[in-house]
Amino acid sequence: MENLSHPKHSLLIALLLVSFLFQSSNSEIIFEERFEDGWQSRWVKSDWKRVEGKAGSFKHTAGKWHGDPDDKGLQTHNDAKHFAVSAKIPEFTNKNRTLVVQYSIRFEQEIECGGGYIKLLSGFVNQKKFGGDTPYSFMFGPDLCGTDTKKLHVIVSYQGQNYPIKKDLQCETDKLTHFYTFILRPDATYSVLIDNRERDSGSLYNDWDILPPRKIKQTHAKKPADWDDREYIDDPNDIKPEGYDSIPREIRDPKAKEPEDWDEEENGIWKPPKIPNPAYKGPWKRKRIKNPNYKGKWKTQWIDNPEFEDDPDLYVLKPIKYVGIEVWQVKAGSVFDNILICDDPEYAKQVVEEVFANRESEKEAFEEAEKVRKAQEEEEARRAREDGERRRRERGHDRHRDRYRDRYRKHHRRDWDDDYHDEL
C-alpha cells in the first residue's frame, strides 16, 4: 500500500483541496427561495386579472402530503383562475458563465389543464401588473392538458422574439414533488434534468430555430454520371457450366415401384411419378461479388449556408432582474418551491438530494392521503346509492297511493251522483 504521507501525495491532496475551494468560492448563488420566514418581503402578488374576477390566490403551505411539514411553498388556491407572483432579484448576466435554473413543483390536484412553469424577466417590470403579456427572457416548466399534453416548455427569448425548443420534451404527471433543472453553458450547449437525472441535452444551434442552420443541402445537386453506387455486381469471370441448361427441372422418382395390381392393358405402361430434380438449380446466374468501384450511396451534399451568421453570444440572455410564476389552471393545488438560480450545477444537485432525503416520507404521506380519499369516495358513493334507493322507494309509494286515491274518487263520485238524481 502506498504511503499517503509521502511529500508528493501530500502536495497532490493539497492541490485538490485548493482547487475545490477555488471552484466553490467562484460559484455564485444569484437567487434561492425556499419560502421560509420573510418570503413575503421578496414576492409581490400581481393584480393582473383581478378586476375581471379571474385572479387566483396563493397559500403558503407544505401541502396535503409532504416529506417535511416545515418545508412550505406557494400553492395555487382557486380553480379556473390566473396566478401571477414575482420576486425582484440581483441583476445578473450569464455571459461567460453557466446558468442553472431549478425549482420544484408538486401537482396535488387533478390539474385537468394548466401550467406549472416559471419565468425569468429582464428590464423594468411593474410587478403589480405582471401577467401573461409581460415580456420574458426565459420560460421553463411543465404544461398539462388532458391525457395528450404533457409538455415540458423550454422557451428562450432572442432579440425580442420567443423561441420554443423543437424537441417534444415530456414532464412528470404524478402527484409527488419533482425538480426541474435547466443548465445553459457558454458554449451554447444545454441539459434538462428531472430529479437530478438528465432527460435531454443538445445545443441552442440545433434544437431551437433561433439562427439559420450552419449547413444546408445543395438543392440543385445531381448524382454524377460516373458515380457507381452498386455495392455488389455480377462476377464477369464466372462462366456457365457446360450442359447447365439441359438439366431438367423434374426427373422420374428412381425409388418408385410399380404397384402390384397395375394393369397395363387397362392403365397403360406404368411410369414412375416425377419429383423435383435435386441437380436443378434454376436459371443460371453469375455469382455476385463486391464492386471494386463502389463509392457508397450517393447523398445530397451539405454546404455552408450563406444566410448563417454566427452569434457567439447566442447563449446570453438579457440581464435578468426578476423571477416569476405566471400560470392558468382549471384545477388549482400546485405547490411551487425551492427556486434556485445559480452558476453551479453541483450545488443545484445537492439541493435536490437534500430535499429528497425526505422522499420516502412524502410517498408514505401521499399513500395515506390516497387511502383517505378513496375511503371518502366510497362513503360518498354508498350514501348516493342509499339516497337513490330511498327516492325510488318514495316514488314507488307515491305512485301506489295515487292509483288507490284515483280508484276511490271514481267509486264515490258515482255514488254521490246517484244520490243527487234521486233527490231531483
Side-chain angles (χ1 to χ4, degrees), residues 269-308:
I269 298 174
W270 180 83
K271 295 180 181 179
K274 287 187 175 183
I275 60 172
N277 184 1
Y280 179 75
K281 304 299 182 184
W284 184 81
K285 295 180 181 178
R286 284 190 170 90
K287 292 185 296 185
R288 302 283 287 175
I289 61 171
K290 282 276 191 180
N291 182 3
N293 299 318
Y294 176 65
K295 295 184 177 181
K297 298 297 181 183
W298 189 81
K299 298 178 182 179
T300 304
Q301 300 298 305
W302 290 86
I303 60 174
D304 291 335
N305 184 359
E307 296 182 2
F308 175 77

Side-chain angles (χ1 to χ4, degrees), residues 40 62 95 108 209 313 327 379:
Q40 297 97 328
K95 186 176 177 64
E108 291 190 345
D209 286 328
D313 289 340
V327 296
E379 176 63 18

Side-chain angles (χ1 to χ4, degrees), residues 102 179 195-196 346-359:
Q102 177 174 279
F179 274 86
D195 299 339
N196 267 349
E346 281 302 312
Y347 178 72
K349 180 181 179 181
Q350 292 171 17
V351 171
V352 178
E353 292 173 347
E354 176 189 336
V355 175
F356 276 3
N358 297 317
R359 184 69 161 173

Side-chain angles (χ1 to χ4, degrees), residues 282-394:
W284 184 81
K285 295 180 181 178
R286 284 190 170 90
K287 292 185 296 185
R288 302 283 287 175
I289 61 171
K290 282 276 191 180
N291 182 3
N293 299 318
Y294 176 65
K295 295 184 177 181
K297 298 297 181 183
W298 189 81
K299 298 178 182 179
T300 304
Q301 300 298 305
W302 290 86
I303 60 174
D304 291 335
N305 184 359
E307 296 182 2
F308 175 77
E309 184 177 346
D310 194 12
D311 181 359
D313 289 340
L314 178 65
Y315 72 98
V316 180
L317 303 177
K318 292 174 66 175
I320 303 300
K321 297 178 67 175
Y322 304 86
V323 59
I325 300 168
E326 181 278 307
V327 296
W328 175 82
Q329 295 181 342
V330 172
K331 292 288 184 67
S334 305
V335 182
F336 291 81
D337 199 2
N338 302 298
I339 299 173
L340 173 66
I341 304 170
C342 67
D343 58 8
D344 185 2
E346 281 302 312
Y347 178 72
K349 180 181 179 181
Q350 292 171 17
V351 171
V352 178
E353 292 173 347
E354 176 189 336
V355 175
F356 276 3
N358 297 317
R359 184 69 161 173
E360 290 305 315
S361 298
E362 179 185 337
K363 289 180 179 179
E364 291 172 2
F366 170 69
E367 291 169 359
E368 188 61 32
E370 281 293 283
K371 290 179 183 178
V372 172
R373 181 185 65 81
K374 289 178 181 178
Q376 289 175 344
E377 289 180 351
E378 291 173 359
E379 176 63 18
E380 290 172 0
R382 184 187 64 79
R383 290 178 179 176
R385 287 193 301 269
E386 292 178 352
D387 289 344
E389 288 294 332
R390 178 180 53 78
R391 286 193 294 270
R392 281 192 292 272
R393 286 195 300 269
E394 290 176 351

Side-chain angles (χ1 to χ4, degrees), residues 10 15 95 167 221 238 260 285-286 340:
S10 300
L15 289 173
K95 186 176 177 64
K167 293 180 177 178
D238 192 14
E260 293 180 359
K285 295 180 181 178
R286 284 190 170 90
L340 173 66

Side-chain angles (χ1 to χ4, degrees), residues 43-322:
W43 290 83
V44 176
K45 187 177 182 301
S46 176
D47 291 330
W48 186 58
K49 297 288 185 179
R50 183 169 301 282
V51 174
E52 305 163 48
K54 298 179 179 180
S57 60
F58 290 91
K59 289 195 302 183
H60 183 231
T61 175
K64 297 177 183 177
W65 49 86
H66 43 71
D68 180 356
D70 296 325
D71 184 6
K72 298 181 179 181
L74 287 189
Q75 184 178 44
T76 55
H77 184 47
N78 314 95
D79 292 344
K81 300 293 183 181
H82 294 264
F83 304 89
V85 65
S86 63
K88 190 172 183 178
I89 63 178
E91 184 175 355
F92 76 95
T93 175
N94 65 315
K95 186 176 177 64
N96 296 325
R97 64 173 171 173
T98 297
L99 170 64
V100 181
V101 180
Q102 177 174 279
Y103 73 106
S104 69
I105 186 167
R106 180 169 69 250
F107 292 113
E108 291 190 345
Q109 77 277 40
E110 298 290 347
I111 189 168
E112 293 185 7
C113 202
Y117 37 79
I118 65 172
K119 296 179 177 181
L120 302 185
L121 305 104
S122 305
F124 171 75
V125 174
N126 184 340
Q127 292 178 263
K128 294 298 288 182
K129 295 183 178 180
F130 167 56
D133 53 357
T134 304
Y136 59 86
S137 294
F138 178 71
M139 183 176 120
F140 177 52
D143 194 1
L144 300 166
C145 198
T147 58
D148 296 330
T149 302
K150 298 180 287 185
K151 190 174 186 63
L152 178 58
H153 286 294
V154 187
I155 302 177
V156 177
S157 178
Y158 179 77
Q159 295 182 356
Q161 184 172 342
N162 295 335
Y163 293 89
I165 192 170
K166 295 188 291 184
K167 293 180 177 178
D168 184 19
L169 302 183
Q170 300 287 298
C171 64
E172 299 297 318
T173 58
D174 61 42
K175 296 183 177 182
L176 297 175
T177 298
H178 291 286
F179 274 86
Y180 291 88
T181 310
F182 181 77
I183 303 172
L184 181 60
R185 307 175 187 88
D187 61 357
T189 62
Y190 73 92
S191 294
V192 173
L193 290 77
I194 299 180
D195 299 339
N196 267 349
R197 295 182 179 181
E198 186 173 83
R199 184 65 61 91
D200 212 303
S201 62
S203 169
L204 288 177
Y205 287 100
N206 301 325
D207 297 336
W208 280 262
D209 286 328
I210 301 175
L211 298 180
R214 291 178 183 270
K215 299 281 186 178
I216 58 173
K217 286 187 176 181
Q218 195 173 4
T219 54
H220 301 296
K222 293 182 179 180
K223 183 171 71 173
D226 60 348
W227 188 277
D228 195 341
D229 57 5
R230 299 171 302 161
E231 188 173 357
Y232 292 88
I233 59 172
D234 293 338
D235 184 355
N237 299 320
D238 192 14
I239 300 174
K240 184 194 300 184
E242 187 175 349
Y244 185 91
D245 291 338
S246 62
I247 300 173
R249 184 188 297 269
E250 295 178 327
I251 60 172
R252 297 291 178 182
D253 186 356
K255 296 181 180 180
K257 293 181 180 181
E258 180 181 337
E260 293 180 359
D261 59 349
W262 186 269
D263 188 341
E264 286 192 2
E265 291 183 0
E266 184 177 342
N267 300 320
I269 298 174
W270 180 83
K271 295 180 181 179
K274 287 187 175 183
I275 60 172
N277 184 1
Y280 179 75
K281 304 299 182 184
W284 184 81
K285 295 180 181 178
R286 284 190 170 90
K287 292 185 296 185
R288 302 283 287 175
I289 61 171
K290 282 276 191 180
N291 182 3
N293 299 318
Y294 176 65
K295 295 184 177 181
K297 298 297 181 183
W298 189 81
K299 298 178 182 179
T300 304
Q301 300 298 305
W302 290 86
I303 60 174
D304 291 335
N305 184 359
E307 296 182 2
F308 175 77
E309 184 177 346
D310 194 12
D311 181 359
D313 289 340
L314 178 65
Y315 72 98
V316 180
L317 303 177
K318 292 174 66 175
I320 303 300
K321 297 178 67 175
Y322 304 86

